[in-house]
Amino acid sequence: MEIFYGKCGIGRIKLKLEPIGKCSRCRKNSAIIEIRYAKQKLCQSCFNNFFINRIRRVVEEFKMFNKNERVAVSGGKDSVALLHALKMAFKDQDIFAFYINLGINYYSDHLEKKVIKLCEDLKIPLEIYNLKEKEGYTIDEFLITKYKDKMCSVCGTIKRNIFTLLSVKVNANVLATGHNLDDTVSTMMSLFLIGDFEAIRKLKPVLKPLLNGYPRKIKPLITTPEIEDLYYVSLNELPLQECSCPHGEITTIKQIKNWIDELEKTQPDIKFRLLSIFRKKIIPLYEKNLNEELEDIKACSICSMPSNSEICSKCKRVLELKEYKQKLEDLKIEIDYKELQKMLKENNVIVIDVRSSDEMNELKIENSINIPSEEIEKHLKNLLKFKKTHKIVLYCNSGRKSYALTIRLRNMGFKAYNLKDGILALNFSDYENLLSSSWSD
Ligand SMILES: [Zn+2]
Ligand SMILES: [Zn+2]
């Protein structure tokens, strides 16, 4: 049997599950997975045990959590195997899952349904955080920013921040993330290449919180090769292999991953050796020379998460996105009837009918103020009061007169918009819709 597993971006991984002789453990069933570094061939059930036992051992070896602690698990695609295996390994543990709907088209909503189903099946409580609803933006929107070719990194920054926030919210002392062996060694190598030893420290199996009151972060999959993670997902029919995120730029880390995969063909234990070198040699060396006092961690002035600068890197990026969106918004001078209808639902809109009495007809936008364009100068003083707080929509019969006034108001710094092609361009049903859309002011 062959299984295709969609990777981030447009790649796919092919997993082969074919009988390859007798299982080295039970010596009964036929083996379908070869674990080369351990010189073993395993059947489905022995592989599952092997996978789950390793997680149990790692949790115990690094004292990741004790039995009274609530363990939060990030429920994204990369941690589905972790969620399932943790539940299998620690049946009585208080495990809590999070899912962040990142607003990624053709992906986030689909995955959300799958995660809900999985958590129901496993009887794990789930907290869903919808980025658009809670914070007013989506990950896809970052495509208009300078981060367009660093989407995975922006996404990671935002997810880390929110997972921490949610852990605090549900009183979880521990936050488990899905970083596997391949993620860890390739990230270590890439940080090594740019000399960022400070960041290498963050790849430890257990990370103490930067500030009191925040969860410690654990990586139970740190010794699990990525491919085995995928096998586990497939064998246990955690139905996620067909969900793949459309973002997935080529990063140094991914290039290093491929390079290490290449080396693995002749040195099956290379990933474990790299992990051990970093853990046992490099990190202790670094920590010996680290002056803990130097680290100046404060609470971000916007979200109050631990950060080493006044505003954390998540909030910085979100602020930048908002600026970009504002610029796009400002670029728009004319709106159509649908956009007007949407705007009318907000409270801070003033609609001005600039027609003079001889241009009036039976069409009129409800609650609009009539200021004929010739008289606008007289009313400017009053309008100025709303310059900072309100949007102003102007209309006339054809859109021509009101456009000139829109520009005049823009010159003065108003957020002014022209109803494109005027009120006569509306067909009857648009007009009826507009009348019935509720608005005040
Ligand atoms: Zn077996
Ligand atoms: Zn922040």
Side-chain angles (χ1 to χ4, degrees), residues 89-130:
F90 300 93
K91 288 212 155 56
D92 298 324
Q93 193 73 35
D94 178 5
I95 294 176
F96 203 105
F98 299 138
Y99 178 73
I100 306 178
N101 185 317
L102 297 158
I104 297 172
N105 286 336
Y106 301 101
Y107 177 67
S108 295
D109 290 347
H110 184 55
L111 185 54
E112 180 175 313
K113 288 188 199 118
K114 306 252 176 187
V115 173
I116 291 175
K117 170 84 171 50
L118 179 70
C119 287
E120 275 170 9
D121 291 348
L122 292 173
K123 299 191 169 55
I124 293 176
L126 169 69
E127 169 106 5
I128 295 174
Y129 189 93
N130 187 303

Coordinates of all heavy atoms in Angstrom, one line a residue, residues 89-130:
A89 N -0.3 7.2 25.7 CA 0.8 6.9 26.7 C 0.4 7.3 28.1 O 0.8 6.7 29.1 CB 2.0 7.6 26.2
F90 N -0.4 8.3 28.2 CA -0.8 8.8 29.5 C -2.3 8.9 29.6 O -2.9 10.0 29.5 CB -0.1 10.2 29.8 CG 1.4 10.1 29.8 CD1 2.0 10.4 28.6 CD2 2.1 9.7 30.9 CE1 3.4 10.3 28.5 CE2 3.5 9.7 30.9 CZ 4.1 10.0 29.7
K91 N -3.0 7.8 29.8 CA -4.4 7.7 29.6 C -5.2 8.6 30.7 O -6.2 9.1 30.4 CB -4.9 6.3 29.8 CG -4.6 5.5 28.5 CD -5.7 4.4 28.3 CE -5.7 4.0 26.8 NZ -4.5 3.5 26.2
D92 N -4.6 8.8 31.9 CA -5.3 9.5 32.9 C -4.8 11.0 33.0 O -5.3 11.7 33.9 CB -5.0 8.8 34.3 CG -5.6 7.4 34.3 OD1 -6.7 7.2 33.6 OD2 -5.0 6.5 34.9
Q93 N -3.9 11.4 32.1 CA -3.4 12.7 32.2 C -4.5 13.7 31.8 O -5.3 13.4 30.9 CB -2.2 12.9 31.3 CG -1.4 14.1 31.5 CD -0.6 14.1 32.8 OE1 -0.1 13.1 33.2 NE2 -0.5 15.2 33.5
D94 N -4.5 14.9 32.4 CA -5.4 15.9 32.0 C -4.8 16.6 30.8 O -4.0 17.5 30.9 CB -5.6 16.9 33.2 CG -6.5 18.1 32.9 OD1 -7.1 18.1 31.8 OD2 -6.6 19.0 33.7
I95 N -5.3 16.2 29.6 CA -4.8 16.8 28.4 C -5.8 17.7 27.7 O -7.0 17.4 27.8 CB -4.4 15.6 27.4 CG1 -3.2 14.8 28.0 CG2 -4.0 16.2 26.0 CD1 -2.9 13.6 27.1
F96 N -5.3 18.8 27.2 CA -6.2 19.8 26.7 C -5.7 20.3 25.3 O -4.5 20.5 25.2 CB -6.2 21.0 27.6 CG -7.4 21.9 27.6 CD1 -8.4 21.9 28.5 CD2 -7.6 22.8 26.5 CE1 -9.6 22.7 28.5 CE2 -8.8 23.6 26.4 CZ -9.7 23.5 27.4
A97 N -6.6 20.3 24.3 CA -6.1 20.6 23.0 C -6.5 22.0 22.5 O -7.6 22.5 22.9 CB -6.6 19.6 22.0
F98 N -5.7 22.6 21.7 CA -6.0 23.9 21.1 C -6.0 23.8 19.6 O -5.2 23.1 19.1 CB -4.9 25.0 21.5 CG -4.8 25.3 22.9 CD1 -3.5 25.4 23.5 CD2 -5.9 25.4 23.8 CE1 -3.3 25.7 24.8 CE2 -5.7 25.7 25.1 CZ -4.4 25.8 25.6
Y99 N -6.9 24.5 19.0 CA -6.8 24.6 17.5 C -6.9 26.1 17.2 O -7.9 26.8 17.6 CB -7.9 23.8 16.8 CG -7.8 24.0 15.3 CD1 -6.8 23.4 14.6 CD2 -8.7 24.8 14.6 CE1 -6.6 23.6 13.3 CE2 -8.6 25.0 13.3 CZ -7.6 24.4 12.6 OH -7.4 24.5 11.2
I100 N -6.0 26.6 16.5 CA -6.1 28.0 16.0 C -6.5 28.0 14.5 O -5.8 27.4 13.7 CB -4.7 28.7 16.1 CG1 -4.2 28.7 17.5 CG2 -4.9 30.2 15.7 CD1 -2.8 29.3 17.7
N101 N -7.7 28.5 14.3 CA -8.1 28.7 12.9 C -7.4 29.9 12.3 O -7.7 31.0 12.7 CB -9.6 28.8 12.8 CG -10.1 28.8 11.3 OD1 -9.5 29.4 10.5 ND2 -11.1 28.0 11.0
L102 N -6.4 29.7 11.4 CA -5.6 30.8 11.0 C -6.1 31.5 9.8 O -5.5 32.5 9.3 CB -4.2 30.2 10.6 CG -3.4 29.6 11.8 CD1 -2.4 28.6 11.3 CD2 -2.8 30.6 12.7
G103 N -7.3 31.1 9.3 CA -7.9 31.7 8.2 C -7.1 31.5 6.9 O -7.1 32.3 6.0
I104 N -6.5 30.3 6.8 CA -5.8 30.0 5.6 C -6.8 29.3 4.6 O -7.4 28.3 5.0 CB -4.6 29.0 5.8 CG1 -3.6 29.8 6.7 CG2 -4.0 28.6 4.5 CD1 -2.5 28.9 7.2
N105 N -7.0 29.9 3.5 CA -8.1 29.3 2.6 C -7.8 27.9 2.2 O -6.7 27.5 2.0 CB -8.1 30.2 1.3 CG -8.8 31.5 1.5 OD1 -9.6 31.7 2.5 ND2 -8.5 32.5 0.7
Y106 N -8.9 27.1 2.0 CA -8.8 25.7 1.6 C -8.1 24.9 2.6 O -7.6 23.8 2.3 CB -8.2 25.6 0.2 CG -8.9 26.3 -0.9 CD1 -8.4 27.6 -1.3 CD2 -10.1 25.9 -1.4 CE1 -9.1 28.3 -2.3 CE2 -10.8 26.6 -2.4 CZ -10.2 27.8 -2.8 OH -10.9 28.5 -3.8
Y107 N -7.9 25.3 3.8 CA -7.1 24.6 4.7 C -7.7 24.6 6.2 O -8.1 23.6 6.7 CB -5.6 25.1 4.7 CG -4.7 24.4 5.7 CD1 -4.4 23.1 5.6 CD2 -4.2 25.1 6.8 CE1 -3.5 22.5 6.5 CE2 -3.3 24.6 7.7 CZ -3.0 23.2 7.5 OH -2.2 22.6 8.4
S108 N -7.7 25.9 6.7 CA -8.0 26.0 8.1 C -9.4 25.5 8.5 O -9.5 24.8 9.5 CB -7.9 27.5 8.5 OG -6.6 27.9 8.4
D109 N -10.4 25.8 7.7 CA -11.8 25.3 8.1 C -11.9 23.8 8.0 O -12.5 23.2 8.9 CB -12.8 26.0 7.2 CG -13.0 27.5 7.4 OD1 -12.4 27.9 8.5 OD2 -13.6 28.2 6.6
H110 N -11.3 23.3 7.0 CA -11.3 21.9 6.7 C -10.6 21.1 7.9 O -11.1 20.2 8.4 CB -10.5 21.6 5.4 CG -10.5 20.2 4.9 ND1 -11.6 19.5 4.7 CD2 -9.4 19.4 4.6 CE1 -11.3 18.3 4.3 NE2 -9.9 18.2 4.2
L111 N -9.4 21.6 8.2 CA -8.6 21.0 9.3 C -9.4 21.1 10.6 O -9.4 20.2 11.5 CB -7.3 21.6 9.4 CG -6.2 21.1 10.4 CD1 -6.1 19.6 10.1 CD2 -4.9 21.8 10.2
E112 N -10.1 22.2 10.8 CA -10.8 22.5 12.1 C -11.8 21.3 12.3 O -11.9 20.8 13.4 CB -11.5 23.8 12.1 CG -12.3 24.1 13.3 CD -12.9 25.5 13.4 OE1 -12.2 26.5 13.1 OE2 -14.1 25.6 13.7
K113 N -12.5 21.0 11.3 CA -13.5 19.9 11.4 C -12.9 18.6 11.8 O -13.4 17.9 12.7 CB -14.3 19.8 10.1 CG -15.2 20.9 9.8 CD -16.1 20.6 8.6 CE -16.7 21.9 8.0 NZ -16.3 22.2 6.7
K114 N -11.7 18.3 11.2 CA -11.0 17.1 11.5 C -10.5 17.1 12.9 O -10.6 16.0 13.6 CB -9.9 16.9 10.5 CG -10.2 17.0 9.1 CD -10.1 15.7 8.4 CE -10.6 15.8 7.0 NZ -10.7 14.5 6.3
V115 N -10.0 18.2 13.4 CA -9.5 18.2 14.7 C -10.6 18.1 15.8 O -10.5 17.4 16.8 CB -8.7 19.5 15.0 CG1 -8.3 19.7 16.4 CG2 -7.4 19.5 14.1
I116 N -11.8 18.7 15.5 CA -13.0 18.6 16.4 C -13.3 17.1 16.5 O -13.5 16.6 17.6 CB -14.2 19.4 15.8 CG1 -13.9 20.9 15.9 CG2 -15.4 19.1 16.6 CD1 -14.9 21.8 15.3
K117 N -13.4 16.4 15.3 CA -13.8 15.0 15.3 C -12.7 14.2 16.1 O -13.1 13.3 16.9 CB -13.8 14.6 13.9 CG -14.0 13.1 13.6 CD -15.5 12.7 13.7 CE -15.7 11.2 13.3 NZ -14.9 10.2 13.9
L118 N -11.5 14.4 15.9 CA -10.4 13.7 16.6 C -10.5 13.9 18.1 O -10.4 12.9 18.8 CB -9.0 14.1 16.1 CG -7.8 13.4 16.7 CD1 -7.8 12.0 16.2 CD2 -6.5 14.2 16.4
C119 N -10.7 15.1 18.5 CA -10.8 15.4 19.9 C -12.0 14.7 20.6 O -12.0 14.3 21.7 CB -10.7 16.9 20.2 SG -9.1 17.5 19.9
E120 N -13.1 14.7 19.8 CA -14.3 14.0 20.3 C -14.0 12.5 20.5 O -14.3 12.0 21.5 CB -15.5 14.2 19.3 CG -16.2 15.5 19.5 CD -17.2 15.7 18.4 OE1 -17.4 14.8 17.5 OE2 -17.8 16.8 18.3
D121 N -13.4 11.9 19.5 CA -13.1 10.5 19.5 C -12.1 10.2 20.7 O -12.3 9.2 21.4 CB -12.4 10.0 18.2 CG -13.4 10.1 17.1 OD1 -14.6 10.2 17.3 OD2 -12.9 9.9 15.9
L122 N -11.2 11.1 20.9 CA -10.2 10.8 22.0 C -10.7 11.3 23.4 O -10.0 11.2 24.4 CB -8.9 11.5 21.7 CG -8.1 11.0 20.5 CD1 -6.9 11.8 20.2 CD2 -7.6 9.5 20.7
K123 N -11.9 12.0 23.4 CA -12.4 12.6 24.6 C -11.4 13.6 25.2 O -11.1 13.6 26.4 CB -12.8 11.5 25.6 CG -13.9 10.6 25.1 CD -14.4 9.7 26.1 CE -15.7 9.0 25.7 NZ -15.4 8.2 24.4
I124 N -10.9 14.4 24.3 CA -10.0 15.5 24.8 C -10.7 16.8 24.6 O -11.2 17.1 23.6 CB -8.7 15.5 24.0 CG1 -7.9 14.2 24.2 CG2 -7.8 16.7 24.3 CD1 -6.6 14.1 23.4
P125 N -10.8 17.6 25.7 CA -11.4 19.0 25.5 C -10.6 19.8 24.6 O -9.4 19.7 24.5 CB -11.4 19.6 26.9 CG -10.4 18.8 27.7 CD -10.3 17.4 27.1
L126 N -11.3 20.6 23.8 CA -10.7 21.4 22.7 C -11.1 22.8 22.8 O -12.3 23.1 23.0 CB -11.1 20.8 21.4 CG -10.7 21.6 20.1 CD1 -9.2 21.6 19.9 CD2 -11.4 21.0 18.9
E127 N -10.1 23.7 22.7 CA -10.4 25.2 22.6 C -10.1 25.6 21.2 O -8.9 25.5 20.8 CB -9.6 25.9 23.7 CG -9.6 27.4 23.6 CD -10.5 28.1 24.7 OE1 -11.0 27.4 25.5 OE2 -10.7 29.3 24.6
I128 N -11.0 26.2 20.6 CA -10.8 26.7 19.2 C -10.6 28.3 19.2 O -11.4 28.9 19.9 CB -11.9 26.3 18.3 CG1 -11.9 24.8 18.1 CG2 -11.7 27.0 16.9 CD1 -13.1 24.3 17.3
Y129 N -9.6 28.7 18.6 CA -9.3 30.2 18.5 C -9.4 30.6 17.1 O -8.5 30.2 16.3 CB -8.0 30.4 19.2 CG -7.6 31.9 19.4 CD1 -7.9 32.5 20.6 CD2 -7.0 32.6 18.4 CE1 -7.6 33.8 20.9 CE2 -6.7 34.0 18.6 CZ -7.0 34.6 19.9 OH -6.6 35.9 20.1
N130 N -10.3 31.4 16.7 CA -10.4 31.9 15.3 C -9.8 33.2 15.2 O -10.2 34.2 15.7 CB -11.9 31.9 14.9 CG -12.1 32.2 13.4 OD1 -11.6 33.2 12.9 ND2 -12.8 31.3 12.7

